[in-house]
Amino acid sequence: MRKNLFFFTPTMIILISQTTLMLVYMRSWVVLILVLGSFLFVISETDTVNIGAILNFKTINGKVSTIAMKTAVDDVNSDPSILPGRRLSLSFHDANFSGFLSIVGALRYMEIDTVAVIGPQSSVMAHILSHLANELHVPFLSFTALDPSLSPLQYPYFIQTSPNDLYQMTAIAEMVTYFGYREVTAIFTDDDQFRNSISTLGDLLSTRRCKISYKAALTPDSSLSPQNLTNKLLKVRALESRVIIVNTYSKTGLLVFETAKRLGMMKKGYVWIATTWLSTVLDSTGISGNETLFLHGVLTVRPHTPDTEKKREFVTRWKGLSNGSIGLNPYGLYAYDTVWMIAYAVDKFLNEGGSISFSNDSRLKVVKGLNFGALSFFDGGKRVRAKLLETNMTGLTGPFWFNPDQSLVHPSFDVINIVGNQGRVVGYWSNHSGLTVGAPEPLYAKPSNHSSLNQRLGTIIWPGNTKDKPRGWEFSNNGRPLRIGVPLRVSFKKFVTQVNGSHDIHGFSIDVFIAAIKLIPYPVPYEFVKFGDGYKNPSYNDLVHNVAYNVFDAAVGDIAIVTNRTKTVDFTQPYIESGLVVVVPVKKLNSSAWAFMRPFTPLMWAVTGFFFIVVGAVVWILEHRLNDEFRGPPKRQLVTILWFTLSTMFFSHRENTVSTLGRMVLFIWLFVVLIINSSYTASLTSILTVQQLSSSIRGIESLITTNERIGFQVGSFAENYLKEELNIPQSRLVALGSPEEYAEKLSTGIVAAIVDERPYIDLFLSYRCQFQIVGQEFTKSGWGFAFPKESPLAIDMSTAILTLSENGELQKIHDRWLKRESCASQDSNSDSDQLQLESFWGLFLIFGIACSIALLLYFGMMLWEFGKHHSDSDTPEESQKTGSGSGSRSVRLQRFLSFADEKEEVSKSKLKRKRERSTVNGTEVDSRNRSNRIQAEEQNVNT
C-alpha cells in the first residue's frame, strides 16, 4: 500500500482548485507548482487489505448488510487459512439516499487505496459509479443494485452478487402466465432500477402473449405526496385489469397498499404481486397488525437460499449479532458471502504472485479547475476482477459462482403468499425448472423442464380471503356500458335487422350474441350502436377499424374473420362457417324419349355395333375347326355368331372358347365392353339427373380466365379479395346491393356470376332455384364478433359460443332464422330428383315393338302349322261330325288352343300317326305290308 504525505477529501480538492484558479488569475505560477506538488506519493507495502462499502444506513437492507459484512470481516480475519499475515479492513460510507454523497464516498475510497467497493445500494448510482470503476480498475460489487440493464459488457468492473432483476421479472412473468392472465398493471418508482425492471417485465410478458396495459410511474420517496399516490391509484382502479405488480421501495410499497385498501382495491377480484421489497419487510421487520389489513392475500417473491447447516448456524448467531434489532433477510446472506468472495479472490491473487499497488493515472489531469490527481489506479485490478469471477465457493446462500455472462448460477426465488402477518411459501421458481411446489435443489440434477404441465404452485389465499382464483379483470367502474357496433344492413336482413317502428335490433347474429353473453358468469352492460346510413350495406372494414380505434368496444354482426382484420382486432370463436363461392344460372335438361341415345354419338354407336360383328366373326374363325359349338349348318352358325357377339355386351355368352387365340381376343374384348358399359352408365346417369349449366363457368378458376363481369355484395370483403388476391381488374367487378339485384343481373346476363359468402348464398338460393353454386368454396373462414386486441371478453365469449354449439342452442338459432323453406320444400314435394317416365318411354316403345313383332311372327307360324295339321288330320267321318267341312268355330278354337299347348314334338308325332292311319291307297298299304313282312323275316332269321 501507499502512504499519503497529504490527505485530501473531495471538499479540499474543490477548495484547492478554487485557490488554483485564483492563483492563475493572479498569474502566480510559483504557488500553483507548490499546490500540485502536494500530490506526490510514496508507495510502500502494508499488511492491511482495504475494502469499502457504500450503503444507505437507514434502510432495511442497509442495516442488515452492515451487520452481516462486519461479521464476515471478523470471520475472515479469524480464519488463518485466508489472507495469512494480512488483515481485511472494511470501512463504511453512508450515502443517506443522496447520489452526491454516493459519489463523494466512491472518490474517497479511490484516494485511500481500496481494492474493492461493496455497493452502491441503488442501481441509479451503480450506473454512475461503474464508469469510475472502469476507469480506475477498482471492482464494485453489489447485491442490491440489480438493474438488468447493468450489462457486464458495458460495465465489466461492476459485479452483481445476487440474482438480478431479470430473473425476478422472469419469475413474475411465469406466475402471470401460470394463472392465465393477459394484462397487468405496473406500479413502480420512476428511477433506473425499477423503471428498467418493469421494462424487462414487459418484454418477458410479450413473449408469453401478455402485456402491461398501464404503467403507473411514481416519483421517488422524497417527492411522493399522498394526493399524488391517490390520483395514480384512482387511474389504476378505473382500468379493466385487476392484476397489479408493485415494484418500488419498501416505504413506498407499504404506502401503496395502505392507499389501495382505503380505495377499495384490496377486495375480492384483485391480484397483487409485490417484488422482493415486501419479502424483505416480512423477514426483517415483520408485518404489524395494521399492515395485515391491507397485505392479506398479496403474493411476493424472495431470493431463495438453500436450507443448509451453515445457514442455520448463522441464523442462530444473528440474534446475538443484531441484538434483536432487525431480522435477517436473504440480502444479508448475500452481503456476508460478498465479503468472503472478495477475501478469496484477493488471497488467490496474492498467492499467485500479485501485489497490491496503486499508481497515478496520467490521464487524470486538471479538468476545468478540478484536480483528480489524488485518485489512484489499481494496478492489479484487472487480475483481481478475474479472480472474483472465478470464485467457486459454497457460502450461506449455497453454491456461489458465476456463469460466463457474469450472472450467478442457479437463480431461484420463493413464492410467498401473505396471510395475516405471516408469509406462506406456496412454491418456488428457478431458472432451471420454472414454478414448482418443491425446492429447486433436487431438480438441478435432472434435465431442465419448463413444460406447462410441470408448472405448479400450492393453494393461494387471494385478497378478499378467497381461494378462488380471481378472473384478473373487470369492466371499469365508470358507469358506461359497452358500445357494441352493429352493421345496419339493407339486404339479407335475417342476419341483422332493425324492427320496423322501434329501435330494437334482431337477427341471427344478434341472437347468437345475446345467447352467448348470457352464459358469461358476470354482468356485462352493453348497448347496440347502429353503424351505417340505412341506404346501403356499410363497410365492414370500417366497422372493424372503429373497434381497433376504440370508437366501439366491440362489433357484432355477420363479420367475416379475414387476415387483414385479425391484425387490428381479436375475434371470437366463429359461430358459423363461411367462405366465398361462385353462383351462376342453371337450366334443367328437358325430358326426351331418346335420352338413352345421348351418351354416344351416332358415329360411336356405329363403330361399336361394327366391332360387335367383327368380334363375333373373328372368334368364329378362330374356334370353327376346334369347337363343335361353332360348327353346323350355315344358318345355325350365322345365328351363333350374332348371338355370341351380342351376349358379350352383358357377359352372358354361353359358348365356350377353346383356342388360345380365341380366349385372348375374347379377354381383350370383354375389357373393352366393361369400359364401354361403365362410361355409358355414368354418362347416362349424369344426363338424366344433373342440371346443366347455362354457361361454361365451372368454378373460380374458369371464372378468372374469362372476361365476364362478376357481381359482389356491397360492403363485403369479396371485392378486396377478388382485386388483391386474384388480380381481377376493377372494370370486371359490379357492386350489387340486394338479392333481388343478384337475380336480375344474373338472369339478364349483365353479370356472368356472383361471388359472395356462403351463408348469404345459401339464403339466396333457398327460394331461387334457377341459380346454383359451382365449384368448391375457395376460401375458408367464419363469422365472429370483434373485440379490441387482448380483450379478455373475447376469450370468454369464445367459450360461450363453444358452449352454445355443444348444447345445440346454436343450431336452434340457425334453424329459427336461416332454415331453407321455399325452394327446398318445392324440390322435396315435386320429387325433382326422381327420374320421370318421359325419359324412358322410347326404350319401352322399342321393347314393345320388338315383343309385338316376335309374337306376330310366332302366332303366324303357329297358325300355319295348325292349318297344316288340321288339313292333314281331318277325315270324312270327322267332317261329318262337325256338320261342315270347316267345323264349328268353337271346336276349331279349342283345337287350336290344345295344339298351341302341346309340345312341338308331340304335335309332330300325332301328325305322323294320323297320316299313316288315314292313307288307304294301295301304295301305302303295300308299303305297310312290305314293312311287316320284312320285320317278320328278320324275326325268323333271328330265331
Side-chain angles (χ1 to χ4, degrees):
M1 294 294 292
R2 168 195 75 182
K3 294 183 180 179
N4 294 332
L5 296 177
F6 299 95
F7 178 78
F8 292 94
T9 65
T11 303
M12 294 175 64
I13 294 175
I14 295 173
L15 293 176
I16 294 172
S17 299
Q18 291 175 346
T19 304
T20 303
L21 291 175
M22 292 176 63
L23 295 175
V24 172
Y25 189 76
M26 297 171 62
R27 301 180 183 273
S28 180
W29 295 98
V30 176
V31 177
L32 176 60
I33 294 173
L34 291 175
V35 173
L36 294 177
S38 64
F39 290 94
L40 298 176
F41 302 102
V42 178
I43 305 301
S44 64
E45 294 294 331
T46 182
D47 59 356
T48 301
V49 178
N50 292 326
I51 60 174
I54 303 175
L55 303 172
N56 295 319
F57 288 169
K58 295 180 181 180
T59 62
I60 293 175
N61 285 333
K63 296 175 182 178
V64 172
S65 301
T66 299
I67 300 172
M69 288 191 289
K70 287 180 178 179
T71 304
V73 170
D74 293 340
D75 291 345
V76 168
N77 290 331
S78 62
D79 188 344
S81 65
I82 187 77
L83 294 175
R86 290 177 173 84
R87 179 178 175 274
L88 187 64
S89 176
L90 173 63
S91 59
F92 291 91
H93 177 79
D94 184 10
N96 196 26
F97 306 101
S98 170
F100 174 75
L101 292 180
S102 295
I103 297 174
V104 169
L107 292 173
R108 172 174 172 262
Y109 288 132
M110 298 302 101
E111 292 177 351
I112 60 172
D113 302 340
T114 303
V115 298
V117 177
I118 301 175
Q121 191 170 326
S122 72
S123 296
V124 177
M125 295 313 303
H127 282 277
I128 298 173
L129 299 184
S130 293
H131 293 284
L132 183 62
N134 289 348
E135 190 69 27
L136 300 179
H137 286 195
V138 177
F140 277 63
L141 302 92
S142 180
F143 45 84
T144 54
L146 304 175
D147 182 358
S149 67
L150 287 166
S151 168
L153 298 177
Q154 183 180 6
Y155 308 116
Y157 283 88
F158 181 81
I159 302 173
Q160 295 169 326
T161 58
S162 67
N164 73 23
D165 281 353
L166 169 64
Y167 301 105
Q168 180 182 194
M169 295 301 121
T170 303
I172 292 175
E174 293 196 10
M175 289 169 60
V176 172
T177 305
Y178 171 77
F179 294 125
Y181 299 132
R182 292 290 188 182
E183 295 184 8
V184 302
T185 299
I187 300 175
F188 62 98
T189 296
D190 195 11
D191 64 18
D192 288 345
Q193 174 157 333
F194 300 112
R195 186 193 315 112
N196 292 337
S197 296
I198 290 299
S199 178
T200 300
L201 175 63
D203 295 339
L204 293 169
L205 288 175
S206 66
T207 63
R208 294 163 171 80
R209 300 190 65 185
C210 305
K211 70 175 182 178
I212 299 176
S213 58
Y214 181 73
K215 294 181 180 180
L218 306 178
T219 56
D221 291 352
S222 59
S223 56
L224 178 63
S225 66
Q227 186 58 47
N228 187 7
L229 178 59
T230 299
N231 293 338
K232 290 287 186 181
L233 290 182
L234 286 174
K235 291 182 180 179
V236 172
R237 191 180 67 175
L239 301 173
E240 293 183 354
S241 175
R242 290 294 182 263
V243 182
I244 305 172
I245 312 296
V246 182
N247 188 32
T248 183
Y249 299 104
S250 58
K251 179 181 177 181
T252 305
L254 293 174
L255 187 59
V256 166
F257 281 108
E258 183 179 1
T259 307
K261 176 67 175 178
R262 179 168 52 83
L263 296 177
M265 300 173 65
M266 298 303 300
K267 61 183 181 181
K268 183 178 179 180
Y270 279 86
V271 177
W272 290 87
I273 302 176
T275 52
T276 54
W277 67 265
L278 182 54
S279 63
T280 300
V281 171
L282 177 68
D283 293 335
S284 296
T285 63
I287 297 176
S288 65
N290 185 44
E291 291 170 346
T292 59
L293 298 177
F294 53 79
L295 291 177
H296 186 76
V298 176
L299 291 174
T300 185
V301 291
R302 173 175 60 198
H304 173 72
T305 55
D307 186 18
T308 61
E309 182 65 28
K310 191 173 182 180
K311 174 184 171 182
R312 288 193 293 268
E313 291 178 357
F314 188 79
V315 171
T316 303
R317 292 174 57 193
W318 183 260
K319 293 182 180 179
L321 296 172
S322 63
N323 294 320
S325 61
I326 194 167
L328 178 64
N329 64 50
Y331 294 109
L333 302 177
Y334 280 108
Y336 182 91
D337 285 349
T338 300
V339 173
W340 275 92
M341 173 187 174
I342 295 172
Y344 279 123
V346 174
D347 183 65
K348 192 172 182 180
F349 166 72
L350 295 174
N351 291 337
E352 292 181 357
S355 63
I356 299 176
S357 62
F358 295 81
S359 61
N360 293 328
D361 190 342
S362 59
R363 296 173 297 173
L364 300 177
K365 298 179 181 179
V366 176
V367 179
K368 292 185 180 180
L370 296 179
N371 185 2
F372 291 99
L375 305 181
S376 54
F377 179 86
F378 184 17
D379 297 325
K382 185 175 182 180
R383 292 178 59 188
V384 170
R385 171 186 171 272
K387 299 306 175 186
L388 288 169
L389 296 178
E390 292 173 4
T391 299
N392 188 346
M393 70 179 197
T394 300
L396 300 181
T397 58
F400 199 96
W401 65 86
F402 294 91
N403 291 312
D405 63 352
Q406 206 165 304
S407 63
L408 283 176
V409 295
H410 302 323
S412 57
F413 291 86
D414 302 335
V415 181
I416 300 173
N417 184 202
I418 306 297
V419 180
N421 61 353
Q422 302 294 323
R424 297 169 51 249
V425 177
V426 295
Y428 303 87
W429 177 89
S430 70
N431 197 38
H432 184 76
S433 299
L435 297 171
T436 59
V437 292
E441 284 76 27
L443 300 176
Y444 292 142
K446 301 178 181 179
S448 178
N449 188 349
H450 283 264
S451 170
S452 59
L453 298 177
N454 292 329
Q455 305 302 293
R456 189 169 301 175
L457 291 175
T459 303
I460 297 173
I461 304 299
W462 301 96
N465 200 33
T466 177
K467 293 183 180 180
D468 297 330
K469 188 191 75 172
R471 189 170 65 249
W473 72 280
E474 292 180 6
F475 289 104
S476 56
N477 55 356
N478 54 14
R480 182 179 67 81
L482 292 179
R483 291 171 54 84
I484 308 294
V486 178
L488 190 59
R489 297 194 58 85
V490 297
S491 62
F492 296 108
K493 292 186 176 181
K494 285 192 174 184
F495 296 104
V496 178
T497 183
Q498 182 179 4
V499 179
N500 293 331
S502 70
H503 295 288
D504 293 339
I505 298 177
H506 296 293
F508 169 67
S509 300
I510 302 301
D511 283 5
V512 172
F513 173 79
I514 294 174
I517 211 164
K518 289 179 180 178
L519 297 178
I520 295 179
Y522 49 86
V524 181
Y526 66 90
E527 62 180 4
F528 291 131
V529 180
K530 292 177 288 187
F531 179 76
D533 56 12
Y535 297 101
K536 65 178 181 179
N537 293 333
S539 170
Y540 280 58
N541 285 335
D542 292 344
L543 175 61
V544 171
H545 289 160
N546 282 343
V547 175
Y549 298 147
N550 295 320
V551 176
F552 296 133
D553 298 309
V556 171
D558 45 337
I559 306 171
I561 304 173
V562 294
T563 303
N564 64 326
R565 296 173 183 172
T566 58
K567 294 177 181 178
T568 57
V569 298
D570 280 347
F571 282 94
T572 62
Q573 172 79 14
Y575 61 88
I576 188 174
E577 293 184 357
S578 181
L580 293 178
V581 293
V582 178
V583 177
V584 297
V586 297
K587 63 178 181 181
K588 289 188 177 180
L589 180 68
N590 294 328
S591 298
S592 171
W594 309 106
F596 68 92
M597 298 293 291
R598 290 186 180 181
F600 293 161
T601 63
L603 179 61
M604 180 66 181
W605 282 112
V607 172
T608 302
F610 171 75
F611 270 94
F612 269 105
I613 297 174
V614 168
V615 168
V618 170
V619 172
W620 181 84
I621 293 172
L622 297 175
E623 296 288 322
H624 179 67
R625 296 189 60 191
L626 304 176
N627 196 338
D628 291 339
E629 295 183 358
F630 289 88
R631 299 185 64 83
K635 179 180 178 181
R636 176 186 172 189
Q637 292 303 300
L638 180 61
V639 173
T640 299
I641 292 172
L642 293 176
W643 171 251
F644 174 81
T645 186
L646 294 176
S647 62
T648 57
M649 180 185 300
F650 310 102
F651 306 99
S652 60
H653 51 284
R654 64 183 182 181
E655 293 79 9
N656 295 320
T657 54
V658 297
S659 67
T660 303
L661 292 176
R663 290 176 177 176
M664 181 188 70
V665 170
L666 182 61
F667 173 80
I668 297 174
W669 173 245
L670 291 178
F671 180 76
V672 173
V673 169
L674 174 65
I675 301 301
I676 292 175
N677 281 342
S678 301
S679 302
Y680 178 84
T681 303
S683 180
L684 182 61
T685 302
S686 175
I687 290 173
L688 296 179
T689 61
V690 179
Q691 294 178 337
Q692 301 301 299
L693 300 179
S694 60
S695 70
S696 60
I697 298 173
R698 297 294 185 269
I700 189 62
E701 293 83 5
S702 57
L703 180 61
I704 294 174
T705 58
T706 68
N707 291 321
E708 302 285 351
R709 305 185 76 185
I710 304 170
F712 65 91
Q713 184 181 176
V714 174
S716 170
F717 79 97
E719 179 183 12
N720 288 338
Y721 187 88
L722 293 172
K723 290 192 301 183
E724 298 174 6
E725 301 295 332
L726 302 183
N727 297 320
I728 296 176
Q730 181 67 49
S731 59
R732 289 183 57 189
L733 303 180
V734 179
L736 305 176
S738 65
E740 293 73 19
E741 199 171 358
Y742 281 16
E744 177 189 352
K745 302 302 182 184
L746 283 172
S747 300
T748 58
I750 295 177
V751 296
I754 289 176
V755 174
D756 204 351
E757 296 178 68
R758 187 64 183 254
Y760 300 127
I761 297 303
D762 285 342
L763 190 60
F764 171 71
L765 296 180
S766 65
Y767 53 92
R768 289 182 174 85
C769 305
Q770 68 271 32
F771 308 105
Q772 178 177 303
I773 296 174
V774 292
Q776 302 295 322
E777 292 184 21
F778 53 94
T779 65
K780 291 292 183 181
S781 62
W783 290 354
F785 306 135
F787 291 88
K789 276 289 186 181
E790 307 297 336
S791 171
L793 185 57
I795 300 174
D796 291 345
M797 285 293 291
S798 293
T799 304
I801 291 172
L802 289 175
T803 302
L804 290 176
S805 177
E806 292 170 357
N807 63 20
E809 185 64 24
L810 186 61
Q811 185 62 41
K812 292 178 182 178
I813 299 173
H814 178 276
D815 294 342
R816 185 163 63 247
W817 285 98
L818 306 178
K819 186 176 181 180
R820 299 181 62 149
E821 296 177 355
S822 177
C823 188
S825 60
Q826 291 176 9
D827 290 346
S828 60
N829 293 335
S830 63
D831 294 331
S832 61
D833 290 337
Q834 296 179 345
L835 297 176
Q836 305 297 321
L837 177 62
E838 287 81 359
S839 300
F840 297 97
W841 72 266
L843 279 173
F844 292 125
L845 177 63
I846 292 175
F847 180 73
I849 293 174
C851 291
S852 300
I853 293 175
L855 288 174
L856 288 175
L857 291 176
Y858 175 75
F859 282 114
M861 293 174 63
M862 288 292 294
L863 290 173
W864 183 78
E865 291 288 338
F866 177 74
K868 182 179 178 181
H869 173 80
H870 179 72
S871 61
D872 291 340
S873 61
D874 283 350
T875 61
E877 294 79 5
E878 293 173 343
S879 299
Q880 292 176 359
K881 291 179 181 179
T882 60
S884 65
S886 59
S888 67
R889 291 182 178 179
S890 61
V891 173
R892 196 173 182 84
L893 178 62
Q894 291 178 358
R895 287 180 179 179
F896 177 76
L897 294 176
S898 298
F899 175 77
D901 184 57
E902 288 180 346
K903 191 175 181 180
E904 185 177 3
E905 294 179 356
V906 175
S907 298
K908 289 181 178 180
S909 176
K910 288 182 178 181
L911 178 62
K912 184 177 180 180
R913 286 197 300 270
K914 288 181 179 181
R915 284 180 178 179
E916 290 177 351
R917 286 197 302 268
S918 62
T919 303
V920 292
N921 56 52
T923 303
E924 291 179 349
V925 172
D926 291 342
S927 62
R928 182 181 301 173
N929 292 335
R930 188 180 304 113
S931 174
N932 291 335
R933 286 197 303 271
I934 292 172
Q935 292 178 358
E937 290 177 356
E938 289 179 350
Q939 291 177 355
N940 292 330
V941 172
N942 292 333
T943 56

